[in-house]
Amino acid sequence: IQKLCDRVASSTLLDDRRDAVRALKSLSKKYRLEVGIQAMEHLIHVLQTDRSDSEIIGYALDTLYNVISNDLEEEEQEENSAKQVDDLGSQFTEIFIKQQENVTLLLTLVEEFDFHVRWPGVKLLTSLLKQQGPQVQQIILVSPMGVSRLMDLLADSREVIRNDGVLLLQQLTKSNAAIQKIVAFENAFERLLDIITEEGNSDGGIVVEDCLLLLQNLLKNNNSNQNFFKEGSYIQRMKPWFEVGDDNCGWSAQKVTNLHLMLQLVRVLVSPTNPPGATSSCQKAMFHCGLLQQLCTILMATGVPADILTETINTVSEVIRGCQTNQDYFASVNAPSNPPRPAIVVLLMSMVNERQPFVLRCAVLYCFQCFLYKNQKGQGEIVSTLLPSTIDATGNSVSAGQLLCGGLFSTDSLSNWCAAVALAHALQENATLKEQLLRVQLATSIGNPPVSLLQQCTNILSQGSKVQTRVGLLMLLCTWLSNCSIAVTHFLHNPANVPFLTGQIAENLGEEEQLVQGLCALLLGISIYYNDNSLENYRKEKLKQLIEKRIGRENFIEKLGFISKHELYSRAAQKPQPSFSSPDHMMFDHEFTKLVKELEGVISKAIYKSSEEDKKEEEVKKTLEQHDNIVTHYKKVIREQDQELEELKQRVNTLTSQNEQLQTTVTQQVSQIQQHKDQYNLLKVQLGKDTQHHNSHSDTFQVNGIQTEEVSKLKEELEEWKNKHEMLQGQLREKDSVIEKLNSSQLEMGTTDQCSQTSKYGGLEHNNELQKELEMLRSQIQLQSAEISKLQMENQKLQVMNATADPVLGDSGATAATNSDLEGQLEQEVKELKSQVKALSEEKESLKQHLDSSSSTVAILQDEKSKLQREVAESKKEQDDLLVLLADQDQKISALKIKLKDLGVPVEDEDDIESGDQGDEDEDGDEEEQD
């Protein structure tokens, strides 16, 4: 070895150095230590200087790999020397990476396309990462484009290099979030999923397994990469992995391994330890792309290996956990049996069946817990199968509730525990269902009356069954009674329960029983803390006194502390999935550990509190409840106001947009009007120019044309005046009718009383003045109509003159003198017509003024009319009052007359008096008529 090293160092010929390195390579497997110590420095020098010769570089890399790697030695060495081998590999690695340039040099060699350089370079780098992972990772991370250069290995067309590249990236991404992110953003997901698809998904070989392990490295506990995986729609590409046929017999070991890793990869994305938002979005994506449906198909398929079925149940559990949509879908899944049964029922049947494997039963329990997690609808459906109204009397189908009850009271302690925990999850944070479950009655034996479920649980507890059964039942009772005063009252109503609990706590038993004692203390503490003092014998104060006498407060608190100090409690508190090494260790449920944490301190305080403090606390609770109600009310008000504000903002936005549109239209219209004005002014100027050339003989045709236009304009104006005249007449008629109505109403009111007559005379005088004004208006209108008729006559004359003028103009032999005469006459007549039109417009203005004054007088009359009507109504009311008084007086007079007659006093007959009064009234009436 020494000679070979000298040849490598001193030979000038490349062939000599190559042969020496080849010889070192052949010796490196057997004499690893010697070659490593003597040749490493020379080999690194070769890598630096002989870059041009790929063959010597390949030999040097292979030699270094043999020295550093433990893979070959592990096969040959015995187990007792394995530790020494590990130390040797890591020591040589440490020597190699002491100079960071060596790793950078290796990265540049890995970029070479030559197979004899690239492949040994990849293997050597992988071995370095295995021996000294974090240090090598750090060097690669700081070297420019280090990770990116290694990512190119996945695109190599040679499968050997690609597959070893996957192994290299596996070692590179272990426990390093920064490198994981770089690898993910270098399009690793796309490339790895393509490789898996090319290799045949789950039917592929070990390459698929390596790709899946690398994907797990990239995604596990890396929220950034998980989000990138979901956003890149890579979840949808996982669906084909889980397509299984009808015949699932004879799966290869590699297929089982691949499917196992695929299921674990799904679980990585929806793990309960991930942030809730990320888990929820992945769960939704899995439902929408059909991945959950595919998993449920595997769940219900026949012939699936037991370990794959178990892992599928665990995967489905986490995909549906806390996601209402997925939980609803899972509730609707049916097993392909005859008749079809819900998947939940089929799974529960295997959970309470003691012949099923322990791991599978744990998986089913986890699945049931995940189905009920934050799912009040699902909890209600499970509890409803226990209630008397919904139980199937025919017994054709087994319900989930019946299976749970069967498991709860079976002889198998594991079934008891699983059923108790499952039922506790159905009641978790649901006070309504806790109350409803009190209605459940069980028929224990023929001839005996039914017993409530609560009573049956306490009966089994007192019978001294196995520890596992009692722990399960105590956990169920603690969950049931917590935060439910009615359940506490029902529990305390049985006189045997409190003595049993105090007896259990007070005894000094072995270590196994300490757990039961702690749970009994917790149950008694819950009975005190959630006690509403409705039972006189079991009020809070009396129960505290009982603890003080029988157990002692300090002893009670010590027994309560046994729960949280237990080793199995701390294991269960770590994660939601129930994972136990053996059935004997199955004692605590994850959700129950949360309840213990919540209640332990509260119960300890409650035990030491006095009755006065309890009262104060209750008062504080009431005030807090009131405060909460006020807060909720204000929140509601604020919410409503926010909605109103939003609506108003929307309205403001719409109105502003409308306003802007209207402003734009207004500006457009203004510009159009300006254009029309300009055009009109231009036309006026042109008309003025035409009239200036009126006297020239050559333009006679144009002049006549202008005159005819003026005549037509005058005709139009006449028509307008006629229409206006008719309108004015119509308005006058309306005013006349209004005045006549007022006159008639005033005449009708003339018979009221003197006060109303005076106002009537004033109104009539005013009316006479109005009539005079109307007469004047009528006379003016007649004058206008006469003038209009005059204008019509003149218009006819003009038409005749035009008619006579046309042939004269048309005749070529007509003289210029006659034309000038005609033009003069026409001009005079036009001027007269214009003056008449002016006069008419002035008269129109005066008529308008008259109409306005008449309308104001009508309004005044209407006001006076309304006043008169009010006065008439008041006078009528007074008359009615007088009539009532007269009627009362008449009754009194008749009563007095009867008394006088009885006393024998002569009284005049009423008919005679009335006839006399009638005659007087007739005479008065005749006089008025003569007047």
Side-chain angles (χ1 to χ4, degrees), residues 504-520:
Q504 285 283 314
I505 300 161
E507 285 182 26
N508 288 318
L509 303 166
E511 283 187 18
E512 283 188 0
E513 292 294 327
Q514 281 185 348
L515 195 53
V516 176
Q517 284 186 316
L519 290 167
C520 286

Side-chain angles (χ1 to χ4, degrees), residues 40 89-90 130 230 236 317 351 388 419 426 541 644 766 859:
M40 184 174 279
S90 62
K130 278 182 183 176
K230 180 186 71 70
Q236 286 83 328
S317 308
M351 187 185 79
E541 199 57 42
E644 286 175 10
H766 195 71

Side-chain angles (χ1 to χ4, degrees), residues 739-752 757 760-761 764 767 868:
I739 289 160
E740 282 170 8
K741 281 178 186 175
L742 284 166
N743 285 334
S744 61
S745 64
Q746 284 171 351
L747 287 167
E748 284 171 2
M749 287 179 221
T751 57
T752 54
Q757 279 176 1
K760 182 190 82 172
Y761 291 138
L764 283 168
N767 197 12
L868 288 168

Side-chain angles (χ1 to χ4, degrees), residues 331-538:
S332 67
V333 174
N334 284 324
S337 58
N338 194 17
R341 282 178 176 163
I344 295 167
V345 172
V346 174
L347 290 170
L348 285 175
M349 286 168 82
S350 60
M351 187 185 79
V352 296
N353 183 354
E354 56 189 295
R355 288 193 296 275
Q356 291 290 349
F358 171 66
V359 182
L360 181 68
R361 294 173 78 180
C362 288
V364 172
L365 176 63
Y366 184 45
C367 187
F368 192 69
Q369 289 174 352
C370 291
F371 169 66
L372 296 176
Y373 183 71
K374 290 185 180 177
N375 182 9
Q376 292 200 340
K377 183 184 173 187
Q379 287 177 323
E381 285 169 1
I382 297 297
V383 171
S384 67
T385 58
L386 283 162
L387 299 175
S389 57
T390 53
I391 290 171
D392 186 8
T394 56
N396 291 333
S397 61
V398 181
S399 68
Q402 288 169 323
L403 285 168
L404 289 175
C405 275
L408 201 60
F409 308 123
S410 76
T411 52
D412 176 31
S413 62
L414 193 60
S415 295
N416 301 156
W417 191 91
C418 290
V421 169
L423 201 53
H425 275 263
L427 303 174
Q428 202 81 41
E429 295 176 2
N430 200 324
T432 313
L433 295 181
K434 287 176 183 178
E435 290 174 21
Q436 284 189 1
L437 202 66
L438 295 167
R439 292 165 47 204
V440 176
Q441 300 288 319
L442 303 170
T444 50
S445 57
I446 299 163
N448 292 335
V451 181
S452 71
L453 178 62
L454 187 70
Q455 183 61 48
Q456 186 63 16
C457 289
T458 53
N459 289 348
I460 294 168
L461 266 179
S462 59
Q463 286 167 11
S465 49
K466 288 182 183 177
V467 173
Q468 195 173 38
T469 303
R470 282 183 288 159
V471 167
L473 288 169
L474 283 165
M475 285 198 296
L476 171 61
L477 288 170
C478 288
T479 308
W480 194 347
L481 267 60
S482 65
N483 210 11
C484 184
S485 301
I486 298 167
V488 170
T489 308
H490 275 257
F491 179 75
L492 295 174
H493 195 71
N494 184 352
N497 287 342
V498 174
F500 167 72
L501 291 176
T502 52
Q504 285 283 314
I505 300 161
E507 285 182 26
N508 288 318
L509 303 166
E511 283 187 18
E512 283 188 0
E513 292 294 327
Q514 281 185 348
L515 195 53
V516 176
Q517 284 186 316
L519 290 167
C520 286
L522 181 67
L523 185 58
L524 189 56
I526 289 168
S527 303
I528 293 168
Y529 186 69
Y530 292 107
N531 193 339
D532 59 358
N533 294 328
S534 55
L535 292 172
E536 189 60 38
N537 294 335
Y538 296 105

Side-chain angles (χ1 to χ4, degrees), residues 166 200 236 242 299 322 335 402 461 515 616 794 804 837 853 883 902 906:
V166 172
Q236 286 83 328
F242 304 105
L299 201 67
Q402 288 169 323
L461 266 179
L515 195 53
K616 282 179 184 176
E794 284 167 358
T804 53
V837 165
S853 61
L883 286 167
D902 292 337

Side-chain angles (χ1 to χ4, degrees), residues 228-248:
F228 181 62
F229 191 83
K230 180 186 71 70
E231 294 295 331
S233 302
Y234 296 120
I235 289 174
Q236 286 83 328
R237 293 187 62 179
M238 294 166 80
K239 187 192 169 188
W241 297 353
F242 304 105
E243 288 173 357
V244 293
D246 297 328
D247 184 22
N248 297 310

